[in-house]
Amino acid sequence: MEAARPINYSGQGFSLLGEKGRFVLPPDFRKAVRDSGMGERVLCLAKHPRWKCLTAFGLGRVDMFEAELDKLERNAIERGQDFDRELRANQMYGFARVPFDDSGRFVLPERYFKLGNIVDRAFFQGGGLQFTIWNPEELAKLGEGWEDAQEACRDLEAQAMAGKARK
């Protein structure tokens, strides 16, 4: 039996907080999350370990966690650094499972508004095996190397606000 290929998340998206307190998962991310979960519409969410944002992925990524932990541990040992496998495992496996509908609408659990400093807007940034969800103001604080994401966020936000104004 052939091993499943990992799902990669690329591109950007944007969502305003809508009626009933829901965000909309952009179509490209929605499809990838569904494919990762073998058809299940479940978005996995966690606090990013370094940045003030959220990290998200489909259920299929969980199967890769132990190999990732092994690699992180090996790299730390080779560098002579401490590695708290239990802490990192708790961070990785401590994600929330959030259902979304066919249109990509999902309710962000309250704690993630706080952990990601999310208010009423969300920018989605592809990042390979996972993607990040940002408050645009937090993304704007980042320095060199983030210019493309910051510009994409501004552009997509302007489009979303123009669409909202037409309604």
Side-chain angles (χ1 to χ4, degrees):
M1 182 170 172
E2 183 181 344
R5 289 182 335 146
I7 299 294
N8 287 300
Y9 301 94
S10 61
Q12 295 97 13
F14 194 90
S15 178
L16 296 170
L17 185 62
E19 60 186 50
K20 301 180 185 177
R22 297 181 294 192
F23 285 105
V24 177
L25 189 60
D28 288 343
F29 293 93
R30 186 181 324 150
K31 180 183 180 329
V33 168
R34 204 173 39 240
D35 289 350
S36 172
M38 295 175 20
E40 287 193 60
R41 292 187 320 254
V42 175
L43 176 64
C44 301
L45 289 171
K47 163 72 177 83
H48 194 282
R50 291 188 318 275
W51 304 318
K52 186 71 173 181
C53 69
L54 305 177
T55 185
F57 48 90
L59 288 168
R61 180 147 190 276
V62 177
D63 294 338
M64 302 166 66
F65 283 176
E66 287 304 314
E68 288 180 39
L69 286 165
D70 290 345
K71 183 178 177 181
L72 289 169
E73 188 170 40
R74 263 192 320 275
N75 288 343
I77 290 169
E78 288 172 7
R79 293 182 177 124
Q81 299 171 331
D82 289 335
F83 179 70
D84 188 334
R85 185 181 179 110
E86 186 175 25
L87 173 62
R88 188 64 190 115
N90 275 293
Q91 291 169 335
M92 291 171 76
Y93 285 101
F95 61 88
R97 295 168 192 246
V98 179
F100 59 92
D101 66 16
D102 285 336
S103 298
R105 293 176 298 214
F106 67 96
V107 176
L108 186 66
E110 190 61 38
R111 73 179 183 266
Y112 290 106
F113 278 95
K114 294 174 187 170
L115 291 170
N117 197 27
I118 306 292
V119 181
D120 59 352
R121 302 165 294 153
F123 174 71
F124 301 81
Q125 173 66 41
L129 297 176
Q130 63 191 17
F131 59 98
T132 49
I133 304 173
W134 294 88
N135 172 337
E137 293 171 8
E138 291 295 330
L139 180 63
K141 293 176 186 177
L142 299 178
E144 189 174 329
W146 289 96
E147 299 87 355
D148 183 60
Q150 291 163 336
E151 189 57 38
C153 181
R154 283 189 288 272
D155 182 48
L156 292 170
E157 181 175 16
Q159 291 175 36
M161 297 305 288
K164 183 179 178 181
R166 283 192 295 265
K167 290 183 178 182

